Amino acid sequence: MLDTPQLADQLNDEKGQAPQAPAPVPPNPDTQRGCLFALSQPPLMIFLAVIGGLLLMAALHDLLLL
């Protein structure tokens, strides 16, 4: 089969312009924060410390008292 040109290609050919690529969007520095930024938040660290303490107490209870 023959490859037929698309409408956008035909319109660009009629204007004598090459198709332009979309301009890249600059990244937002506020949304580029990763996991280390999330771990530095005090409420999350308190929550993880409480969960870790509960797991440690359960493990010590199983090892020493049972």
Side-chain angles (χ1 to χ4, degrees), residues 3-18:
D3 186 27
T4 58
Q6 299 295 320
L7 179 61
D9 295 335
Q10 291 173 350
L11 291 175
N12 286 333
D13 289 341
E14 289 176 5
K15 292 180 185 176
Q17 298 174 354

Side-chain angles (χ1 to χ4, degrees), residues 5-50:
Q6 299 295 320
L7 179 61
D9 295 335
Q10 291 173 350
L11 291 175
N12 286 333
D13 289 341
E14 289 176 5
K15 292 180 185 176
Q17 298 174 354
Q20 296 178 351
V25 177
N28 187 355
D30 292 337
T31 59
Q32 294 282 328
R33 296 179 179 173
C35 184
L36 292 178
F37 175 77
L39 285 177
S40 68
Q41 301 303 311
L44 179 62
M45 292 305 293
I46 293 170
F47 172 74
L48 292 176
V50 168

